[in-house]
Amino acid sequence: MAKFYPLFSSSKANASYIGTKNSGILIDAGASCKKIFDALSCNDLKPACIQGIFITHTHSDHIKGLKTLVSKLHVPVYASEITLEFLIHQGYLSEHTEMISVSTDSKIMHCGDCEIKAFPTMHDAKGSCGYQIHTSDDKYCAVCTDLGIVTPEVKQALHGCDMVLLEANYDPDMLWQGTYSFDLKQRITSQYGHLSNQDSAEFANYLIHSGTTRLLLGHLSQNNNTPELAVSAVTRALHEFIPDIDYLLGVAPVETMGGAVIF
């Protein structure tokens, strides 16, 4: 049975493993290789279970550990063509790395007993994308963070997914009253930035109506949000549903202490 393991999730580091104890995929590698290996061990997973690494975009909180990780695992790296070009130019990938360019035209990729599709996301990193995963036990999940806005392409890709890791990056009041520069605040709230709790709540309502039963809120800013605020905003938006019966809602940990989502 495939499970979703949120290894790291915040504005500082992001990585998730989807699969079984024997085979699966890693989405993003935003922590050091050692920390990722430690996180896998905390979940009774061995590094050899990773059959491929899928990168969403080029920001450091998603690629920090990639270079060392690839050198130790010798597995293919999947990303958009423009993302792969950046990773090569910046020395994250070498000529010996197997690189597979992903397209966002619904083309199916096969890796780690999963079928994976990429979908485009609005973010200020060229080639940014999210991933929908179809597991060997016929379940669907998706990793959907770093969104400026929820586009029709994102809605289509996530419609009917059993489980979704969904961004809830910031609370507007905390952000605007905080110490970030005005330019950074504008960037975060722009259509190429991140989803607020309210944005996430609105999209969560759509997802539950479409059949999603498990929501994991992720990529929370440690400076501009709290798990309590994010959960409260989403719960209010889902008032017509019964929590723990119609849906399960949680927050992805900044760093795993062990635990997975069964979907």
Side-chain angles (χ1 to χ4, degrees), residues 128-177:
S128 178
C129 68
Y131 293 102
Q132 179 214 82
I133 303 96
H134 183 199
T135 68
S136 58
D137 45 347
D138 199 29
K139 298 292 185 179
Y140 287 86
C141 70
V143 172
C144 190
T145 66
D146 297 82
L147 303 175
I149 57 174
V150 177
T151 63
E153 292 83 0
V154 170
K155 281 190 171 184
Q156 180 180 358
L158 271 61
H159 185 90
C161 280
D162 299 285
M163 181 265 163
V164 175
L165 173 65
L166 176 64
E167 176 175 55
N169 180 252
Y170 67 94
D171 171 76
D173 289 337
M174 286 187 68
L175 175 66
W176 287 109
Q177 294 171 15

Side-chain angles (χ1 to χ4, degrees), residues 103 106-109 115-119 130-134:
S103 64
S106 298
K107 179 182 177 181
I108 296 175
M109 299 163 284
E115 295 179 345
I116 303 99
K117 292 181 183 179
F119 56 89
Y131 293 102
Q132 179 214 82
I133 303 96
H134 183 199

Side-chain angles (χ1 to χ4, degrees), residues 8 31-39 68-69 72:
F8 299 91
S32 70
C33 180
K34 181 183 184 305
K35 293 193 76 171
I36 290 174
F37 281 2
D38 288 345
T68 305
L69 198 61
K72 290 183 178 295

Side-chain angles (χ1 to χ4, degrees), residues 13 36 53 110 112 156 183:
I36 290 174
I53 303 170
H110 297 269
Q156 180 180 358
D183 287 345

Side-chain angles (χ1 to χ4, degrees), residues 55-57 80 82-83 125-129:
I55 299 298
T56 59
H57 64 289
S80 65
I82 195 167
T83 296
K126 293 181 179 179
S128 178
C129 68

Side-chain angles (χ1 to χ4, degrees), residues 198-244:
Q198 287 77 5
D199 296 329
S200 184
E202 181 179 342
F203 190 33
N205 186 274
Y206 167 86
L207 290 173
I208 300 301
H209 274 100
S210 80
T212 299
T213 57
R214 284 149 176 78
L215 277 175
L216 199 59
L217 305 180
H219 209 293
L220 275 68
S221 168
Q222 292 166 280
N223 296 317
N224 301 309
N225 208 356
T226 67
E228 293 77 15
L229 286 172
V231 167
S232 177
V234 172
T235 301
R236 287 196 302 272
L238 300 178
H239 61 87
E240 63 185 289
F241 299 99
I242 304 173
D244 300 326

